Amino acid sequence: MTLIRKQTSIPIQKETDVCVIGGGPAGIGAAVAAARHNKHVILIEKRGFTGGNVTACYVENPDYFMAGTQFAPEGIYAEIESGFLSKFGNDNVRPKKNKSFNSETLKCYLDDYLLSNGVQLMLHSFVNDVICEDDIIRAVIIQTKKGPAAITAKTFIDATGDGDVAYAAGVPCDIGRDKDGKCQPGTVAVRLAGANVKELLTDGDKLQKITKEFRAEYQKGNIQLTCKRQDIPFGRLTKAGIISYVNYSCAYGIDPTDNEDLTRGEIECRKYILEIVQYLKTHYVELRDIEIASIAPEIGFRDSRRIHGNYRLTIEDMEDRKHFQDAIAVFPRFYDMLSPDGIMSETSDFSGKGYHGHIFEPVIGNRYFEVPYRCMVPDKINNMLVAGRCVSADHVAECGLRAVSLCSLMGQAAGTAGALAIDNQVSLSNIPIKTLQKQLINDGIKIPMDQD
Ligand SMILES: Cc1cc2nc3c(=O)[nH]c(=O)nc-3n(C[C@H](O)[C@H](O)[C@H](O)COP(=O)(O)OP(=O)(O)OC[C@H]3O[C@@H](n4cnc5c(N)ncnc54)[C@H](O)[C@@H]3O)c2cc1C
């Protein structure tokens, strides 16, 4: 059943050169890059803070998988990480001391970082509509407390993680696995207070032992909790007894773009959180006094819509280390895909395409893959790029593309390209690729560039 609503005029709230929608790693990279290339930039974010999953889902040590490898983060993400750590330090006292953000402090750091880079922020602004003329987006429509408002721009960058703007503009999208559209589970992270740090660190890293023991007990059939997750990834541990980023709860069969599914996922995950906290309190003396310090503000997703773009990156491209003349990023080969079915056994069987359990591949040697510019160029719309986890890729490839620091690199390339398109007065599919690559190299990004 549908209702017809009479057409209304919508006030134009702002006009800008580059409008970035979504203030996560991709959106931050895009907004800062475009501003540094002398464009007026508005960054629109539905929440009251930026950072995307890093702040809203407590993903506080995202590049843990690079530790001890020959790879290091690059570009705007690396700048944020080193700037944050030199200002606030790394308060993670776990023996490996993986570089970690305190995501609450990061929210404040990002406010300053974005504003000092000349980005105009518009928080509390949810985009779910666009005004298009032919294949050009004239404006995105934000929903505010005062009603809808339009933001016009020459170039738009969809960094919503869900491809919301592309979807609203009619760009065809895929979601989840080919066969059934199922995505990886959604997770609501939790932060605990009251851990006995001294006891946790007396004999190595007790948190690591707990997650291993939990898994072993699960496999013996001794765990009676209702969540299918068989391990308890713990993040940052601080001197003050905070265990942040407990990435345990998993709700399966959730469509990240469906409000009824999202409601179910949030409620289900909170139930799992209560269960695991009670379990930890009763099974581990070091954790007997823990309590919930905070529950992440929103369920987080590892994958969602993926646009149809000018190139669809495949897992085979990544495995074959395929070289692209329009490469805009090079990234270590690292895959992590939680099984959409809740099968926790690990397998590197890509031919299973996510139907045969958890795909997990650590970084090996110098194995890397390239990301072509064309996977950010959507079919159909001429003045929009898409950056981050919703670019054009197959479902398994996305589990290598979704890394925070790679999403930031894609964003940086999109922001630079957006500025270039305006300077050259060309559509985003016609920008001079070599000029883009030279600018990225000048800005410190290591990408291969073919000779003429
Ligand atoms: C539990 C969990 C653990 C993870 N662990 C790791 C890890 O260890 N390492 C790693 O590298 N990656 C990890 N990831 C993946 C990583 O967090 C994401 O892939 C990454 O954050 C994607 O960046 P993004 O900018 O594309 O999207 P997001 O981080 O999702 O940011 C999108 C932003 O857009 C905003 N937005 C969305 N829709 C709209 C709209 N319609 N209007 C306005 N604003 C909107 C959102 O509020 C958000 O701020 C994890 C993800 C989850 C959920």
Side-chain angles (χ1 to χ4, degrees), residues 84-144:
F84 179 90
L85 293 176
S86 66
K87 186 159 184 190
F88 298 105
N90 180 10
D91 63 2
N92 185 8
V93 296
R94 293 184 70 179
K96 275 193 181 165
K97 289 195 171 51
N98 277 338
K99 285 181 284 181
S100 301
F101 298 111
N102 170 328
S103 57
E104 304 306 331
T105 315
L106 181 65
K107 290 175 185 169
C108 312
Y109 183 82
L110 289 174
D111 291 340
D112 278 351
Y113 181 77
L114 288 161
L115 296 177
S116 63
N117 273 288
V119 174
Q120 183 173 354
L121 267 180
M122 287 188 84
L123 305 177
H124 293 284
S125 304
F126 182 82
V127 174
N128 66 350
D129 202 0
V130 295
I131 295 178
C132 283
E133 280 164 14
D134 300 321
D135 290 339
I136 299 287
I137 299 182
R138 279 267 295 133
V140 290
I141 308 301
I142 54 172
Q143 301 301 332
T144 79

Side-chain angles (χ1 to χ4, degrees), residues 129-251:
D129 202 0
V130 295
I131 295 178
C132 283
E133 280 164 14
D134 300 321
D135 290 339
I136 299 287
I137 299 182
R138 279 267 295 133
V140 290
I141 308 301
I142 54 172
Q143 301 301 332
T144 79
K145 292 260 183 199
K146 291 179 174 169
I151 311 293
T152 65
K154 295 173 186 146
T155 292
F156 293 88
I157 297 171
D158 179 347
T160 59
D162 297 314
D164 285 356
V165 187
Y167 174 78
V171 175
C173 297
D174 294 323
I175 190 162
R177 298 189 296 204
D178 287 350
K179 186 176 74 178
D180 53 15
K182 278 193 185 170
C183 292
Q184 297 185 57
T187 292
V188 178
V190 61
R191 183 175 291 142
L192 305 171
N196 188 323
V197 183
K198 203 166 157 225
E199 287 177 16
L200 281 174
L201 298 179
T202 302
D203 181 20
D205 188 347
K206 183 73 197 233
L207 289 175
Q208 200 173 18
K209 288 183 191 143
I210 292 174
T211 193
K212 280 194 183 140
E213 279 170 24
F214 183 79
R215 187 163 196 156
E217 289 304 307
Y218 204 108
Q219 282 164 359
K220 282 187 224 155
N222 294 338
I223 303 281
Q224 303 308 322
L225 306 181
T226 46
C227 182
K228 287 184 194 163
R229 182 126 200 191
Q230 295 182 11
D231 51 2
I232 321 172
F234 295 104
R236 186 169 61 96
L237 173 69
T238 75
K239 263 200 299 203
I242 296 283
I243 305 176
S244 193
Y245 182 37
V246 184
N247 168 7
Y248 168 74
S249 68
C250 277

